[in-house]
Amino acid sequence: QPNRVMIWTDTFANNKQSDIFNTELVENNARLAELNRQDIRVIVGNPPYSVGQESQNDDNQNEHYDELDARLTATYVAHTDSTLKGKLYDSYIRAYRWASDRIGQKGVIGFVTNAGWLETSSADGMRKCMTEEFNSIYIYHLKGNQRTSGERSRQEGGKVFGEGSRAPAAIVFLIKNPESTDHGKIYFHAVDDYLTREEKLAALKKDRSIAYTPMNVIVPDAHGDWFNQRDDSYSRLMRMDGKKTEEKAIFKNFSLGVGTNRDVWAYASSKSSIEDKLRKCIKFYNQEVEKKKQDSNYIFSKDLTKISWIHPQRIGFEKLIKSNLFDKNKIHPAAYRPYIRQYLYFDRFWNNRVYQMPSIFPMNTTDNLVICSSGVDNLVICINQNAKDAGQISLMTNYIADLHFNGDTQCFPRWLPGEQPKTAVGELFGDQNQMPSGFSPEALPHFQAAYPDQSITEDDLFYYIYGILHSEDYRTRYANNLMKELPRIPRVATHEQFMAFVEAGQELARLHVHFEDVTPYAGVTV
């Protein structure tokens, strides 16, 4: 009977445990035990895509699989150069890891999945492992990335699964064959640009099979990139970020933008609105903690009109930690989205992640400037995309930046006032002009050395960097690098060219930082 081959199980769990599904489903468990003994050679499927729950209030976090995740950590994660390792625990990437191990030394995997792993910097380790573990890899790319806009979105064409997913999709076959002389061979075919969903499905029907489809051979580079490969001269430029590296870097410290995980509570257009929301929210939270103190079995209220529960509150609730009362000094002006200023309640307990922002904007009166890069993996570029459309999007602001101000925002500060040395014992007044610079000690000498008979300042360097980041020549030449790495900055040939970029950076900064004061174009009615 058909139902005698069906098994109720959690594929990613360690089903070798003797008590797994210890229920009256004896026949189901017997089939599961038999499956675990089988020497599996073929695995096909359409694994789900899910990095994590949308909100802490959902109570719908991804399951954690100790054994499988340990394999992920030892392979895909261990081989990546990216800091965005959390993306490698997506369900569909878990499926690749699980299936690769399950077929052992010989077999075939056929998946229809999110195609993001083919190009993103966070999956470089995964790609490296794929070429090591498999003899042959066949990819039929269906595009359809609708996390894009404009011309790029039209090029990507229709979503193969309709409204089911906005992610690009690919059919992937992975072959392990110990008798083959091939190793890590990658064969690739992509549907044409601008195709509708129906036209893509018709192309699939026409091509029939991988065996009948003309394929291109892809040769990975040293970075594990299969497509949009990088310019190696980029690695000789001085890097902007100075963390977790032995290389000299331009900035001493940098930070992701603030991630509140509760924007509707943390942000508002007016200070009075922030105060009204936070006073009520803090009062409600402290009342919930008090109830927990009275009854250890009490489960907090999920009334979203009174509070949005994020990680710090959940932990605080369990540990019976009450919140400090509302503090007006914690209302900071913030850059929420490009050219959208908001007020932010900036507090470690009421924001999910503040990262290094307290070093950059320690007080709501702090005067500072930050260059905000859009980070990496925000623009997954399709094959043969025009390079000028790729790479970082940089904006300068004088406010705290939100995590999604202009992507997964990385903020590079002119100053680090939060790292101001404490006044020496017995000294009444510190020197306010000695605010710690955001530049490393090596930064200015590195650029000064290119123009030995000229003088440049750290302010010049800050605006030079901003000018370079907006240079079309720079963005075009290093487009593939800028998709996958934070910026590195070249030294232009002459001091005159350097100063031209300084002036361009200053003018751009004036427009971007003081956008509210810019005169509207003639004839435009707001």
Side-chain angles (χ1 to χ4, degrees), residues 306-321:
K306 293 185 171 65
I307 192 172
S308 175
W309 292 90
I310 59 174
H311 185 70
Q313 282 87 63
R314 286 184 174 234
I315 297 299
F317 175 80
E318 293 299 329
K319 294 184 176 181
L320 306 179
I321 299 171

Side-chain angles (χ1 to χ4, degrees), residues 22-166:
N22 188 15
T23 70
E24 68 277 7
L25 300 175
V26 176
E27 193 174 327
N28 177 87
N29 297 346
R31 289 198 294 272
L32 178 59
E34 175 63 23
L35 175 65
N36 288 333
R37 290 192 291 269
Q38 293 294 320
D39 190 9
I40 299 297
R41 286 284 168 259
V42 178
I43 298 175
V44 295
N46 171 219
Y49 322 157
S50 176
V51 175
Q53 64 181 357
E54 292 294 318
S55 165
Q56 292 277 347
N57 300 286
D58 292 347
D59 272 348
N60 188 33
Q61 290 180 317
N62 280 356
E63 292 290 337
H64 294 284
Y65 302 97
D66 293 342
E67 189 173 302
L68 176 58
D69 288 354
R71 283 288 295 146
L72 267 172
T73 302
T75 54
Y76 300 168
V77 175
H79 285 80
T80 186
D81 295 323
S82 172
T83 58
L84 302 172
K85 295 178 173 61
K87 295 185 179 183
L88 291 171
Y89 295 91
D90 190 302
S91 298
Y92 86 91
I93 291 180
R94 278 190 173 120
Y96 276 108
R97 181 66 272 162
W98 172 84
S100 301
D101 290 338
R102 187 65 180 85
I103 63 172
Q105 298 304 310
K106 186 175 185 178
V108 178
I109 298 168
F111 277 168
V112 182
T113 69
N114 184 328
W117 70 275
L118 297 175
E119 299 178 76
T120 57
S121 66
S122 56
D124 60 346
M126 178 180 177
R127 293 190 294 270
K128 291 172 188 174
C129 289
M130 290 292 193
T131 55
E132 290 173 5
E133 295 179 28
F134 293 95
N135 298 87
S136 304
I137 299 167
Y138 294 86
I139 300 157
Y140 192 107
H141 201 311
L142 291 159
K143 302 182 181 176
N145 183 3
Q146 290 306 317
R147 294 192 177 95
T148 54
S149 61
E151 184 64 19
R152 169 69 200 286
S153 176
R154 289 187 284 275
Q155 282 181 316
E156 286 289 298
K159 295 174 285 191
V160 176
F161 293 105
E163 296 306 312
S165 173
R166 297 171 61 212

Side-chain angles (χ1 to χ4, degrees), residues 426-440:
E427 186 179 332
L428 293 177
F429 304 103
D431 185 350
Q432 297 303 311
N433 294 321
Q434 295 302 311
M435 190 187 297
S437 171
F439 288 111
S440 70

